[in-house]
């Protein structure tokens, strides 16, 4: 037996949650199929398949039998990259042709009835019976595939029932209006998908690649670029793929990736991202990511994955809708039977009202209320450089009561500079050089700053034997020719040896000035102190202020010393918890969660445990792998103010969901009352459902025009 393989299929015509449920139920019955995930917002079917038991062609045929069109055959390769689906005019779409066909039949019956009034009933009956066939066929296919209570079932029963009681004209109108409603759903769903697919247009189709032989640059398709190729990006051109500037200087508009509207100066050594626009100077860029793996492609892929995942509210409504439709059919049956049997009512009248109740009960507007808003919110966030990985994270952000920040690289620039070197015994150059030897291969910002300072002074850095060993939150230790040397926090130094008053006073003075101090130990002897300072990000204070305006508490969690933490916290206007080892950060987050959901903001590497422990983790990253792959959300623009934008977007989405549910249920309640009172016709009943669906979808699409606060 072959192992199950991941497959993904794009599906056209799947434009509501009920459509997705029908496909899921049908595919679930096939042998060898598992891990099914159907997303109407992304228009995709993702699953794992054992092809020895069920072929990919069988899945495509099953989907087609339900009335949907597979756009491609499932293939493992389809999980990589993103493609923009071509959209035909609405009248060339299957649902558009159905609207035109049903409308034409109804008009033909109307015109002929005007000339031959005696045939009126039979003309409308024929039109209704012909028009209902496509929907009845889909209802039957759905029932056989495990979804007996579908939208098509409700509509088909109502239309056939209307014909049976002599209301053929209304039956025909109901079918036409239902077809129009389905078409409007398709158009609306297409707009929501276009919000993400439009990002594909940001990548140019061609690039100017420098020839290996040094000749004039050649025009090549972007897909042909390989890692290591050098491309020429002229003023006004879009960067074809991620890479590093190796020559030239220019301002680059990175708004498509980071949401940052101010162009960024790019010089030799700077990173540039696919889709960003070169403003005024020519750049030579060495490509380090192929087209299918560049930042824009990965953003699209991650947002599509996020849209495929279901938010808690959406899952709740899905569970509710599974019982809602059969329940509605029972209520409609009671409307038909109870008044005539119990109170002597007219059967024809109450059958008519029962059919109207059946149409009003269509759950389209309700089941689309949440996923439409979630999809629009995710797309709006991606346009602003706010990458949110799923509806659950988007919902949680709006309920956050506390935001916990890491310090280095999050509230600060993450580029500390050595400000002071104090030697005790040896000279300052020796202290700095020996510290750089231990820190040379570290990824920690403080260690990199020490190494950079030694190199900038032209110092000879001693060799280490066996590399360096890091103790997280404490120190880095390496073996030099003269013995073991460690570079660590004053707290770690105090655990290793007695600190004399002179050293303690020097440490206190530097920390009071808001500097971070590391102690250089040779064995048990303090050789010297190195002080560094990392300045806050320019927008850090503004970001904390915006959170406070929304009633959200901000807390800084750092392993740095209390004096340095207090100095930075006072400048930014937030609380500080200092000298926290990684496990202490987790404990602090757990304590904060006692007051409500907590968002943790970090750089995505050192703070990974804390990001995972928080209610929602947010990574600062500016387009790096860490920002895209770690935590529940990422700020592509590296802006602290983006936290407030994330929360504002989440709250707007939650508000939109509430409005949608109120619209869907409110309209149904009003029309149910008017139906029971005899004031609602069949065509008004189906128009009420179609109208509610259109209103809910249009309301959700408003989120696409939302912009970050400035």
């Amino acid at each position: 037996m072959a192992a199950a393989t991941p497959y993904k299929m794009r599906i056209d015509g799947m434009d509501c949650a009920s459509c997705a449920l029908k496909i899921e139920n049908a595919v679930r019955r096939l042998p060898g199929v598992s891990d099914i995930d159907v997303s109407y917002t992304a228009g995709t079917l993702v699953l794992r398949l054992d092809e020895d038991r069920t072929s990919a062609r069988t899945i495509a045929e099953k989907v087609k039998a339900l009335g949907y069109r597979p756009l491609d055959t499932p293939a493992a390769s389809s999980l990589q990259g993103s493609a923009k689906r071509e959209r035909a005019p609405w009248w060339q779409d299957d649902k558009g042709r159905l609207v035109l066909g049903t409308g034409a039949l109804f008009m033909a019956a109307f015109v002929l009835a005007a000339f031959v009034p005696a045939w009126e009933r039979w003309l409308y009956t024929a039109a209704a019976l012909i028009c209902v066939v496509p929907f009845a066929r889909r209802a039957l296919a759905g029932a056989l595939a495990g979804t007996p209570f579908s939208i098509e079932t409700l509509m088909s029963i109502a239309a056939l029932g209307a014909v049976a009681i002599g209301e053929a004209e209304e039956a025909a109108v109901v079918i036409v209006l239902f077809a129009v409603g389905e078409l409007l759903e398709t158009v609306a769903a297409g707009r929501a998908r276009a919000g993400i697919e439009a990002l594909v247009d940001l990548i140019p189709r061609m690039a100017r690649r420098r020839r290996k032989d040094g000749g004039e640059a050649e025009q090549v398709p972007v897909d042909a670029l390989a890692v290591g190729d050098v491309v020429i990006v002229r003023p006004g051109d879009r960067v074809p793929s991620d890479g590093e500037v190796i020559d030239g200087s220019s301002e680059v508009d990175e708004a498509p990736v980071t949401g940052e509207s101010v162009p960024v100066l790019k010089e030799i050594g700077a990173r540039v991202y696919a889709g960003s626009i070169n403003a005024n100077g020519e750049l030579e860029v060495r490509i380090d990511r192929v087209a299918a793996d560049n930042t824009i492609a990965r953003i699209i892929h991650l947002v599509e994955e996020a849209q495929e995942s279901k938010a808690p509210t959406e899952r709740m409504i899905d569970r509710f809708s599974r019982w809602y439709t059969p329940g509605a059919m029972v209520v409609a049956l009671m409307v038909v039977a109870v008044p005539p049997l119990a109170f002597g009512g007219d059967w024809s009248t109450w059958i008519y009202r029962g059919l109207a109740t059946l149409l009003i009960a269509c759950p389209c507007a309700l089941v689309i209320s949440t996923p439409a808003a979630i999809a629009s919110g995710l797309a709006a966030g991606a346009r602003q450089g706010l990458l949110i990985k799923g509806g659950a994270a988007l919902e949680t952000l709006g309920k956050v009561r506390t935001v916990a920040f890491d310090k280095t690289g999050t509230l600060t620039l993450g580029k500390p500079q050595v400000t002071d070197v104090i030697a005790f015994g040896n000279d300052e150059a020796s202290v700095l050089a020996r510290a750089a030897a231990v820190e040379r291969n570290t990824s920690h910002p403080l260690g990199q700053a020490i190494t950079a300072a030694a190199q900038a002074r032209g110092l000879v850095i001693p060799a280490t034997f066996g590399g360096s060993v890091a103790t997280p939150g404490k120190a880095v230790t390496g073996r030099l020719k003269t013995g073991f040397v460690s570079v660590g926090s004053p707290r770690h130094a105090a655990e290793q040896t007695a600190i004399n008053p002179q050293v303690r006073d020097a440490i206190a003075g530097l920390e009071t000035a808001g500097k971070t101090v590391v102690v250089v130990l040779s064995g048990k002897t303090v050789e010297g102190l190195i002080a560094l300072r990392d300045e806050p990000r320019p927008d850090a204070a503004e970001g904390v202020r915006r959170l406070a305006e929304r009633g959200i508490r901000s807390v800084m969690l750092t392993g740095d010393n209390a004096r340095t933490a207090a100095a930075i916290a006072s400048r930014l206007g937030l609380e500080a918890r200092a000298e926290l080892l990684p496990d202490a950060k987790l404990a602090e987050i757990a304590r904060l969660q006692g007051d409500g959901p907590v968002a943790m903001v970090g750089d995505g590497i050192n703070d990974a445990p804390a990001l995972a422990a928080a209610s929602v983790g947010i990574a600062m990253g500016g387009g790096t792998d860490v920002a895209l792959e770690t935590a529940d959300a990422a700020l592509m623009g590296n802006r602290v103010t983006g936290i407030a934008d994330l929360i504002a977007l989440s709250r707007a989405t939650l508000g939109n969901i509430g409005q949608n549910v109120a619209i869907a249920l409110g309209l149904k309640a009003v029309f149910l009352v008017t139906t029971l009172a005899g004031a609602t016709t069949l065509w008004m009943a189906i128009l009420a459902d179609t109208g509610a669906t259109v209103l809910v979808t249009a309301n959700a699409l408003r989120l696409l025009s939302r912009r970050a606060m400035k």
Side-chain angles (χ1 to χ4, degrees):
M1 182 182 295
T5 309
Y7 286 92
K8 182 174 182 178
M9 175 190 288
R10 296 183 305 152
I11 299 173
D12 192 30
M14 179 176 63
D15 303 314
C16 71
S18 296
C19 303
L21 181 61
K22 277 192 294 184
I23 293 173
E24 181 178 341
N25 288 340
V27 175
R28 192 180 302 281
R29 294 187 165 199
L30 298 174
V33 176
S34 60
D35 298 340
I36 303 167
D37 192 352
V38 187
S39 170
Y40 95 86
T41 51
T44 57
L45 164 63
V46 180
L47 49 82
R48 294 186 67 83
L49 176 65
D50 180 351
E51 289 199 80
D52 285 349
R53 303 177 66 190
T54 296
S55 68
R57 183 179 298 278
T58 299
I59 294 177
E61 290 172 351
K62 180 69 70 172
V63 170
K64 191 173 182 180
L66 292 171
Y68 308 103
R69 184 161 58 94
L71 295 181
D72 43 27
T73 300
S77 61
S78 67
L79 289 172
Q80 305 298 325
S82 300
K84 184 175 181 180
R85 64 183 76 192
E86 297 299 324
R87 301 191 185 280
W90 69 266
W91 56 86
Q92 294 180 9
D93 182 80
D94 290 343
K95 292 184 178 180
R97 288 194 290 267
L98 188 57
V99 168
L100 294 176
T102 55
L105 277 171
F106 175 77
M107 289 305 299
F110 177 80
V111 171
L112 289 174
F115 288 100
V116 191
W119 293 3
E120 179 178 4
R121 179 180 178 182
W122 302 110
L123 287 169
Y124 282 119
T125 297
L129 291 176
I130 293 171
C131 290
V132 83
V133 168
F135 302 104
R137 185 187 297 124
R138 281 157 51 184
L140 179 60
L144 295 175
T147 310
F149 302 111
S150 64
I151 307 300
E152 290 84 359
T153 301
L154 297 181
M155 198 279 299
S156 298
I157 292 173
L160 292 173
V163 170
I165 63 173
E167 299 290 346
E169 182 178 358
E170 286 204 46
V173 173
V174 163
I175 297 168
V176 173
L177 289 176
F178 185 81
V180 171
E182 283 201 324
L183 177 62
L184 291 175
E185 281 184 6
T186 299
V187 173
R191 283 196 57 192
R193 290 176 192 140
I196 290 300
E197 292 179 351
L199 292 173
V200 177
D201 291 333
L202 298 175
I203 308 298
R205 299 288 180 265
M206 304 295 291
R208 292 172 54 81
R209 182 174 64 186
R210 169 164 288 178
R211 296 178 183 271
K212 302 291 185 183
D213 58 11
E216 186 176 349
E218 57 182 342
Q219 287 275 355
V220 298
V222 168
D223 290 342
L225 293 177
V227 173
D229 283 350
V230 175
V231 296
I232 311 298
V233 185
R234 299 170 299 184
D237 287 351
R238 288 187 182 272
V239 177
S241 197
D242 296 4
E244 179 182 340
V245 176
I246 60 173
D247 191 31
S249 174
S250 179
E251 290 184 323
V252 174
D253 178 5
E254 295 184 332
V257 178
T258 67
E260 180 57 63
S261 58
V262 178
V264 180
L265 179 64
K266 299 291 183 179
E267 298 177 309
I268 294 175
R271 282 195 59 72
V272 290
Y273 304 111
S276 51
I277 305 169
N278 186 20
N280 43 37
E282 187 170 281
L283 297 174
E284 291 190 19
V285 177
R286 181 185 293 115
I287 299 301
D288 58 19
R289 286 191 184 276
V290 296
D293 193 38
N294 64 43
T295 300
I296 290 289
R298 289 155 71 216
I299 287 174
I300 295 169
H301 181 65
L302 287 169
V303 174
E304 285 178 342
E305 284 187 336
Q307 290 184 337
E308 288 166 5
S309 68
K310 291 187 177 181
T313 301
E314 183 179 353
R315 287 196 295 268
M316 180 187 70
I317 289 180
D318 278 354
R319 290 193 298 270
F320 173 72
S321 66
R322 291 173 190 264
W323 296 98
Y324 172 87
T325 304
M329 295 182 75
V330 171
V331 170
L333 183 60
M334 291 175 63
V335 170
V336 170
V338 172
L341 292 176
F343 306 104
D346 177 63
W347 278 101
S348 179
T349 298
W350 287 102
I351 289 174
Y352 184 90
R353 294 179 184 180
L355 295 175
T357 301
L358 206 60
L359 292 174
I360 290 170
C362 287
C364 288
L366 180 62
V367 296
I368 205 175
S369 60
T370 297
I374 293 291
S376 295
L378 293 171
R383 290 180 176 183
Q384 300 169 27
L386 310 173
L387 187 59
I388 308 166
K389 296 186 177 181
L394 183 59
E395 281 197 24
T396 303
L397 279 163
K399 303 170 185 175
V400 162
R401 300 290 299 277
T402 306
V403 175
F405 290 94
D406 174 49
K407 179 177 74 69
T408 305
T410 301
L411 288 172
T412 64
L413 293 169
K415 297 179 180 178
Q417 303 290 324
V418 172
T419 58
D420 304 88
V421 179
I422 300 176
F424 301 106
N426 291 329
D427 59 88
E428 294 179 2
S430 175
V431 170
L432 184 59
R434 288 162 66 80
V438 175
E439 297 277 13
R440 178 159 34 195
N441 296 319
T442 185
S443 61
H444 195 284
L446 297 181
Q448 292 177 339
I450 290 171
T451 304
Q455 292 172 339
R457 299 186 189 189
L459 303 180
V460 177
I461 300 176
T464 57
F465 299 91
S468 300
V469 177
T471 304
K474 292 187 175 182
V476 178
T477 303
R479 183 180 179 185
L480 306 186
K481 189 175 182 180
T482 58
F484 286 98
V485 173
S486 67
V487 181
S489 66
R491 183 177 179 180
H492 171 75
E495 293 173 355
Q496 303 302 311
T497 187
I499 306 296
N500 65 50
Q502 179 189 3
V503 175
R504 279 202 302 269
D505 291 345
I507 292 172
L510 293 169
E511 290 181 346
T512 301
K515 300 175 182 179
T516 298
V517 181
V518 296
V519 180
V520 182
L521 284 176
S522 179
K524 299 291 185 179
T525 303
V526 177
E527 281 197 14
L529 307 175
I530 300 176
L532 307 94
R533 181 154 53 198
D534 184 11
E535 294 300 318
R537 292 182 181 275
D539 70 333
E542 173 70 8
V544 172
R545 184 186 65 79
R546 287 191 187 180
L547 291 173
E549 289 175 349
R550 288 167 173 74
I552 298 171
R553 175 187 180 192
S554 296
V555 181
M556 181 174 69
L557 307 181
T558 178
D560 214 336
N561 67 82
R563 291 190 184 92
T564 300
I568 292 177
S570 63
R571 290 176 62 182
L572 301 182
L574 75 168
E575 304 173 41
R577 303 284 188 274
E579 300 179 7
L580 299 177
L581 297 178
D583 57 342
K585 280 189 179 182
L586 296 180
E588 185 64 25
I589 287 174
R591 190 186 68 80
L592 292 171
Q593 284 176 324
D595 296 328
V598 174
M600 174 67 195
V601 189
D603 62 11
I605 302 176
N606 300 325
D607 299 297
L611 290 170
S615 307
V616 58
I618 303 171
M620 304 281 284
T624 64
D625 288 342
V626 168
L628 288 172
E629 308 299 343
T630 306
D632 305 298
L635 302 177
M636 305 301 294
N638 255 353
R639 301 188 306 272
V640 179
T641 51
I643 309 297
D645 293 333
L646 272 174
I647 291 172
L649 176 62
S650 174
R651 290 182 176 180
T653 304
L654 290 174
N656 193 282
I657 290 171
Q659 294 164 8
N660 285 349
V661 172
I663 291 170
L665 295 180
L667 277 176
K668 290 186 184 301
V670 169
F671 275 88
L672 180 60
V673 171
T674 58
T675 296
L676 296 177
T680 302
T681 60
L682 290 181
W683 69 267
M684 290 172 63
I686 193 64
L687 190 60
D689 179 69
T690 301
T693 302
V694 171
L695 287 175
V696 163
T697 306
N699 189 46
L701 291 175
R702 289 192 306 111
L703 291 169
L704 290 174
S705 61
R706 183 179 177 82
R707 292 289 180 265
M709 291 175 32
K710 300 298 181 185

